[in-house]
């Protein structure tokens, strides 16, 4: 059996979906992340592009998912009233305080460290499937 045939076959022991998918998932995303992390320091304009792409491609679905859980019916809205109405204003106040008090660079730094932590936890969860 050739290597290509074995990489596209049904999942075996140790693979979630298939060897090809899993290797692209693991090596491809790692390579992309390292490449972006390596390129951004060389061109400061890339920071804004990476930041916006990260928000657009990786952030929106989290927000939508959260709000569909919190606002599915009237009982959910009543139960999560603080999270839906007051907490966004508290977060906005905190973001503005950090931005104006420390500097807007701090928000990007906090965001990327938070993402690093979040992705590390997700990676741990994915590794539990393996």
């Amino acid at each position: 059996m050739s290597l290509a045939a074995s990489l596209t076959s049904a999942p075996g022991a140790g693979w979630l979906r298939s060897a090809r998918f899993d290797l692209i998932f693991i090596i491809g995303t790692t390579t992309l992340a390292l490449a972006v992390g390596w390129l951004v320091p060389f061109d400061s304009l890339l920071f804004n592009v990476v930041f916006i792409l990260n928000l657009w491609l990786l952030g929106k679905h989290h927000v939508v998912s959260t709000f569909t859980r919190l606002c599915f019916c009237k009982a959910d809205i009543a139960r999560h009233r603080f999270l839906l109405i007051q907490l966004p204003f508290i977060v906005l106040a905190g973001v503005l305080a950090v931005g104006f008090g420390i500097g807007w660079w701090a928000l990007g730094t906090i965001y990327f460290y938070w993402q690093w932590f979040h992705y590390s936890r997700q990676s741990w969860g994915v590794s539990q499937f393996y």
Side-chain angles (χ1 to χ4, degrees):
M1 178 187 284
S2 72
L3 179 60
S6 67
L7 289 178
T8 58
S9 64
W15 301 112
L16 278 182
R17 187 166 175 189
S18 70
R20 180 178 182 198
F21 173 85
D22 290 2
L23 291 173
I24 290 172
F25 180 66
I26 294 167
I27 295 170
T29 55
T30 302
T31 303
L32 177 64
L34 290 173
V36 169
W38 183 79
L39 285 172
V40 168
F42 293 107
D43 187 354
S44 61
L45 294 177
L46 285 177
F47 174 82
N48 293 329
V49 172
V50 169
F51 188 74
I52 297 300
L53 285 174
N54 193 5
L55 284 173
W56 185 261
L57 298 174
L58 303 174
K60 280 182 20 178
H61 63 282
H62 282 83
V63 173
V64 170
S65 174
T66 299
F67 276 99
T68 55
R69 288 187 205 151
L70 296 177
C71 304
F72 191 71
C73 64
K74 288 183 180 183
D76 288 341
I77 293 171
R79 185 174 347 146
H80 302 296
R81 189 170 183 77
F82 172 78
L83 296 175
L84 294 168
I85 297 172
Q86 291 135 344
L87 187 60
F89 290 108
I90 294 169
V91 170
L92 177 62
V95 167
L96 292 174
V98 169
F100 285 118
I102 298 172
W104 297 106
W105 61 268
L107 294 173
T109 302
I110 291 167
Y111 177 78
F112 278 114
Y113 276 106
W114 190 282
Q115 291 295 65
W116 166 79
F117 174 77
H118 177 70
Y119 293 147
S120 296
R121 295 292 295 168
Q122 280 185 331
S123 297
W124 181 85
V126 168
S127 72
Q128 298 307 300
F129 284 110
Y130 283 102

